[in-house]
Amino acid sequence: MDSVVRLAQQLIRRPSRGGIDDYGPVLSVLEDWLTTRALPHRRLYDDGTVVGLLVEVAGGLSGPWWALNACVDTAPYGDEAAWSFPPDQGDVVDGWLRGRGAADSKLAAAMFCGIAAELLGRSFPGGLAVLLDVDEHTGGFGGARAYLADPAAVRPAGMMIGYPGLDEVVVGGRGFWRATVAVHAAAGHSGSRRTTPGAVSRAARLVGLLEEAELPGADAEFPLPPKLTVTSVHGGEGFSVVPDLCEVGVDVRTTPGFGAGAAEALVRAAAAELDARVPVPRPTVVSPVASWPPFRLAEDEQPAAALLDAAGREGLTVRAKTAGPSNIGNLLAAEGIPATAGFGVRYEGLHGTDERARLADLPVVHAVYRRAVLDLLGQRLSRRTCSSRS
């Protein structure tokens, strides 16, 4: 595992905070590593902006392609004064790899590159793609979008995403439907005799209606219920003006039984009720912003079956989990591509202070992913080959 850890350390030492840092340095580290090993790779772009790196290893025989994915952009550092070591430290202390991205997900990126290197030059059905995304923490997922839109890339039959966590294989997640709701009123002076509420007051009533709305519970087909959250309220300025506009952000986490259509209907019904109770000349406007579907793989569906089986054969007890937050698996589900979205080393401080990843877990996590990939590709390689190339 030494070369994997060394590569991960180099990646951590190249700051790549989503939407903040230049991604060139961190991608250059990967490109140097891949070039040295003659692994085919190329950058992915969206409107001229680099959004990822794609590694492609063809087996030379007819068959489906499978993909591994790990992001190499990271969350921001937050309060650097609260860290007990520099966020770009990239050292190993007491068996922990330390620094932003150690857990999410530069160690996984290095590990996946190692698996691709092992397959190079061998004959097998289909191929393996490794997507190294640098537009993940922005929420844009530009790397995945560019990969799926690239006419030169073979569309994968499924993808395994290397989010960390040793006890679970994430096989599903709630979707979401998001909207901005514009609440209107007549502008005026706060000291006037008028008694009609302003836009902020009307928005407060809308928030109450939304939070009181009844949502269905979980069912046998999907273990989590839908959830509605008011995430932002923006309106008004100063003290002497009655505001004529207040915008409310609404995030609805969806399930197969309560999808985007149901979420939109609920929010529009609340807006209509507000306008009926507190009428103004201009109606409330609901503007959908984004929507992803929920997804859930059965445990016998690929690639979930291969990953769960590999974990069991490596002596781990893991459970299939449906996650509350959405992830890149939802984007893939919208494209008809099944995905797992989490299995990796144990960690601390993910997206927070003093992020670190437990290196003692790396050999077994590597073995699980390696076994799963080889099973999907119809391959069998010796453990000795794995260790000599790591």
Side-chain angles (χ1 to χ4, degrees):
M1 296 291 95
D2 289 348
S3 68
V4 169
V5 174
R6 285 195 300 271
L7 176 56
Q9 289 179 289
Q10 293 179 58
L11 297 175
I12 293 168
R13 291 166 183 160
R14 304 308 192 276
S16 54
R17 293 163 292 179
I20 298 174
D21 296 313
D22 176 13
Y23 302 132
V26 73
L27 291 178
S28 293
V29 168
L30 288 164
E31 288 167 328
D32 289 346
W33 193 95
L34 295 166
T35 299
T36 298
R37 290 156 181 79
L39 277 161
H41 62 277
R42 54 193 169 89
R43 291 191 177 190
L44 298 172
Y45 293 89
D46 178 28
D47 290 332
T49 301
V50 64
V51 289
L53 191 67
L54 182 63
V55 183
E56 296 169 302
V57 180
L61 303 177
S62 177
W65 280 62
W66 299 89
L68 298 170
N69 168 246
C71 60
V72 291
D73 67 332
T74 73
Y77 294 155
D79 181 5
E80 294 187 47
W83 287 63
S84 64
F85 51 85
D88 59 354
Q89 182 75 31
D91 61 355
V92 177
V93 175
D94 297 329
W96 292 84
L97 175 63
R98 307 194 306 172
R100 177 62 85 226
D104 184 13
S105 295
K106 292 181 175 181
L107 182 60
M111 178 180 66
F112 289 164
C113 287
I115 291 174
E118 180 182 349
L119 290 172
L120 186 66
R122 299 183 180 273
S123 178
F124 55 88
L128 176 70
V130 178
L131 173 63
L132 304 166
D133 198 349
V134 291
D135 190 38
E136 198 266 3
H137 284 84
T138 62
F141 298 102
R145 295 180 191 277
Y147 170 39
L148 298 179
D150 189 342
V154 180
R155 195 173 185 86
M159 181 181 288
M160 293 181 285
I161 304 164
Y163 295 136
L166 192 64
D167 300 324
E168 299 164 337
V169 171
V170 176
V171 299
R174 287 189 293 205
F176 66 75
W177 178 85
R178 292 170 178 162
T180 298
V181 184
V183 180
H184 299 280
H189 195 290
S190 60
S192 71
R193 294 184 179 183
R194 61 171 282 180
T195 58
T196 56
V200 171
S201 296
R202 295 187 76 240
R205 296 197 185 194
L206 176 64
V207 171
L209 291 171
L210 291 171
E211 293 187 341
E212 292 166 5
E214 187 172 344
L215 297 171
D219 57 43
E221 300 300 321
F222 200 83
L224 297 174
K227 180 183 179 183
L228 184 150
T229 305
V230 174
T231 58
S232 65
V233 178
H234 300 290
E237 184 176 357
F239 295 93
S240 63
V241 177
V242 176
D244 59 359
L245 174 65
C246 186
E247 292 186 328
V248 178
V250 182
D251 178 283
V252 183
R253 298 295 162 147
T254 59
T255 66
F258 190 86
E264 183 169 357
L266 183 150
V267 174
R268 290 192 182 278
E273 184 174 351
L274 171 69
D275 290 345
R277 290 188 184 185
V278 190
V280 294
R282 190 173 178 184
T284 301
V285 178
V286 178
S287 300
V289 173
S291 177
W292 277 358
F295 79 101
R296 179 173 170 80
L297 303 184
E299 294 184 26
D300 59 353
E301 290 183 81
Q302 298 293 14
L307 194 55
L308 288 164
D309 178 68
R313 289 161 68 187
E314 292 295 335
L316 296 178
T317 301
V318 299
R319 68 183 183 94
K321 176 186 176 181
T322 299
S326 302
N327 55 61
I328 198 172
N330 298 86
L331 171 64
L332 296 168
E335 295 284 338
I337 298 172
T340 59
F343 172 74
V345 302
R346 282 171 282 191
Y347 61 90
E348 293 179 357
L350 186 145
H351 286 202
T353 303
D354 287 353
E355 181 177 346
R356 59 182 190 163
R358 190 172 185 269
L359 292 180
D361 298 333
L362 181 59
V364 70
V365 170
H366 174 274
V368 168
Y369 273 109
R370 175 183 179 274
R371 184 186 288 272
V373 166
L374 298 181
D375 285 349
L376 290 168
L377 295 174
Q379 272 285 85
R380 293 292 183 274
L381 300 180
S382 70
R383 286 183 178 271
R384 182 177 179 182
T385 303
C386 173
S387 61
S388 66
R389 287 179 174 250
S390 296

